[in-house]
Amino acid sequence: MVDVLHAFAIEEKGDVFKRMACPAFLMFDNAAYLADMTFELPCNCKPEEVSSVIWYFQEKVGSHKTTVLTDFAGTMVVDSGHIRAGSDVLKRFSIRMFSLIVFRAQETDSGHYLCGTKKGDFFYGYDVDVQPTKHIMVAFVDRGQHVQDDYTEKLFSLFTTFWDWTRCDRCGVRGEQRRIGLCYLRSTQLHPRYRAAMPNVTSCGSRAVPARFQHRGRLRRPEVAIRSCMTPCLKEEVPEDGVQAISNVISKLGEKPWLPRVPTQFHKHPIGSDLIISCPGARPEHAVAWDKDSVRLYRSRYLINVNKSMRVFIDHGNQLHIQRVRVSDRGTYFCWREGKMVAGFRLSVMYQQRRRRTLNDPETIYAIKAIGMSYVLISIVFIVIHVCRCCWRVFRCPART
């Protein structure tokens, strides 16, 4: 059955290629994303005789440095659950049904993606702009904060294009919604080789933007708007009376009624070290929320950079960070995804066992270097002081005679 479905999927894909002819001159479709997101680039056209495609990456058109994103069989498979942010793009991609999937995109992944063959024939191209989250603008709508105003000059204008509001990240209690906005530029002087959804409009980091406008485009940052929301929980299907009575008896054996019924993972973490918790199955564009026991960790208070001295915060990729773990951090952390509680993390804090330091330890090497540099600086100061005193005495003695 799986083989039949796979063959049917390939046949359907083949029909798409028959309906869409490849352009005579290679063009680049503009696509913009926020860092840490996962994006998919379909190879929208190819000759019928081509059975597998090769994806190429170039930071700039015509660059001699080209990265081949394939195993030359079109069957590269990556488990997205083991992808780490900041890793090389060669470890964060997959090719499925001629489409390229890049997991947890980084700013360095911005550039040109070309769909072609092993011989170097290109059929379709993308101009991908991955915008950073490091200095993203945050507007809390409930506090009366507003998004950035449009910036207009004679030859171009900068503005923000917002996606739709996400779902409410919690149900039955007060939750929050996010709306992501990316930087776009409007001008009649864009490079004609690049295509976008609207004429004379492209993302700020696109290669279609003339060089004299690129500096202005980098100054405008992506945005995220956050507001409160309230939505009821969906009613779960109730089994038949007899089954329900039996399940109630079984479920109440050893049950803790004050804890939500979600899969819970137990984790021990050493005190003083950092911890990052991810929500299972969640991506940065999803609506994700975190609770500690019965305390709601709202973004209005726990979003990264809301407070410069924050030790516990949520980043824009929906991960929960706990820096320098303390004993007070132990407890159960619950994760909501798309308005439904999906997982729990029982955190236990333990003290690290004392061990003897060796000369190969990084801490020992750092301490030796610091102490050595301190002695060198003290010695230099000591020598300079004595040289100055000797010089002062030498010049003072002839004056007295």
Side-chain angles (χ1 to χ4, degrees):
M1 180 63 72
V2 173
D3 293 338
V4 172
L5 291 175
H6 183 66
F8 178 75
I10 294 177
E11 185 68 25
E12 287 292 311
K13 197 76 173 181
D15 292 340
V16 174
F17 293 130
K18 289 180 182 179
R19 293 193 299 267
M20 184 171 183
C22 293
F25 187 72
L26 184 63
M27 305 285 287
F28 294 96
D29 287 352
N30 176 247
Y33 305 95
L34 200 63
D36 288 331
M37 286 187 172
T38 297
F39 63 84
E40 179 178 357
L41 304 177
C43 188
N44 286 330
C45 73
K46 72 173 184 63
E48 291 185 49
E49 61 272 13
V50 176
S51 59
S52 64
V53 299
I54 311 297
W55 281 91
Y56 299 87
F57 170 71
Q58 285 183 334
E59 187 175 353
K60 297 180 180 179
V61 173
S63 174
H64 295 289
K65 184 179 179 182
T66 302
T67 304
V68 181
L69 303 177
T70 187
D71 58 356
F72 290 102
T75 56
M76 175 67 78
V77 177
V78 176
D79 183 1
S80 60
H82 296 90
I83 299 298
R84 298 191 60 173
S87 58
D88 190 79
V89 68
L90 290 172
K91 302 177 182 178
R92 292 185 285 103
F93 81 95
S94 174
I95 295 177
R96 299 172 186 172
M97 292 300 298
F98 312 115
S99 297
L100 175 69
I101 303 174
V102 178
F103 302 97
R104 305 206 66 172
Q106 303 299 306
E107 192 177 359
T108 53
D109 297 337
S110 299
H112 299 92
Y113 290 83
L114 305 162
C115 169
T117 64
K118 186 177 180 180
K119 297 179 182 179
D121 299 326
F122 301 128
F123 313 131
Y124 211 83
Y126 289 91
D127 169 38
V128 175
D129 174 23
V130 181
Q131 301 188 10
T133 59
K134 187 175 181 180
H135 300 292
I136 192 170
M137 292 286 294
V138 180
F140 294 102
V141 179
D142 298 340
R143 300 178 184 175
Q145 298 177 358
H146 302 283
V147 297
Q148 300 178 85
D149 295 328
D150 295 348
Y151 178 83
T152 304
E153 285 198 1
K154 184 178 180 180
L155 298 177
F156 69 95
S157 62
L158 299 174
F159 61 94
T160 301
T161 297
F162 282 93
W163 297 3
D164 293 334
W165 287 98
T166 63
R167 290 184 180 183
C168 196
D169 56 15
R170 294 178 177 87
C171 70
V173 295
R174 185 177 73 87
E176 291 176 324
Q177 289 177 292
R178 287 191 309 161
R179 195 181 189 191
I180 295 173
L182 301 177
C183 174
Y184 277 80
L185 181 143
R186 180 185 290 108
S187 175
T188 58
Q189 302 188 15
L190 301 179
H191 198 290
R193 196 174 181 181
Y194 297 82
R195 297 184 300 191
M198 297 179 62
N200 300 327
V201 173
T202 189
S203 60
C204 294
S206 170
R207 272 62 180 173
V209 179
R212 60 184 182 277
F213 299 160
Q214 290 178 0
H215 176 68
R216 292 287 189 181
R218 293 191 187 100
L219 295 178
R220 188 179 182 90
R221 297 173 285 177
E223 304 178 60
V224 58
I226 298 174
R227 69 181 183 184
S228 299
C229 59
M230 188 76 178
T231 184
C233 294
L234 297 176
K235 293 183 179 180
E236 298 182 358
E237 295 184 2
V238 180
E240 298 178 1
D241 295 339
V243 178
Q244 179 68 30
I246 297 174
S247 63
N248 287 341
V249 174
I250 297 175
S251 62
K252 289 181 179 179
L253 295 176
E255 183 187 83
K256 295 181 179 180
W258 58 88
L259 294 178
R261 298 179 183 177
V262 293
T264 303
Q265 177 182 344
F266 295 84
H267 177 72
K268 290 184 178 180
H269 201 76
I271 193 170
S273 58
D274 297 344
L275 175 64
I276 301 176
I277 307 176
S278 299
C279 188
R283 296 202 299 266
E285 58 267 30
H286 286 166
V288 177
W290 292 94
D291 297 342
K292 181 189 176 184
D293 296 324
S294 59
V295 179
R296 316 290 180 194
L297 304 182
Y298 290 110
R299 280 182 168 80
S300 56
R301 181 178 177 186
Y302 288 95
L303 187 64
I304 184 172
N305 292 330
V306 170
N307 188 347
K308 297 299 182 182
S309 60
M310 297 176 68
R311 192 180 58 84
V312 179
F313 58 87
I314 303 170
D315 64 17
H316 294 288
N318 295 323
Q319 294 178 317
L320 180 65
H321 294 246
I322 305 176
Q323 297 182 340
R324 303 179 302 279
V325 172
R326 301 174 181 173
V327 177
S328 58
D329 293 327
R330 61 188 177 187
T332 304
Y333 294 83
F334 296 102
C335 164
W336 298 73
R337 187 186 70 224
E338 297 294 295
K340 183 179 180 181
M341 187 177 290
V342 294
F345 301 86
R346 181 75 59 83
L347 177 61
S348 300
V349 179
M350 62 180 181
Y351 290 92
Q352 289 181 328
Q353 295 182 353
R354 292 187 177 182
R355 61 182 181 87
R356 297 187 64 181
R357 296 287 184 185
T358 62
L359 294 176
N360 296 328
D361 290 340
E363 295 87 353
T364 305
I365 296 173
Y366 176 79
I368 292 174
K369 288 182 178 180
I371 295 172
M373 289 297 296
S374 301
Y375 274 110
V376 170
L377 291 174
I378 293 172
S379 300
I380 292 173
V381 172
F382 180 80
I383 293 172
V384 169
I385 292 174
H386 279 272
V387 169
C388 293
R389 290 184 64 185
C390 291
C391 293
W392 182 73
R393 289 179 180 178
V394 168
F395 287 110
R396 185 181 178 187
C397 291
R400 290 182 176 180
T401 58

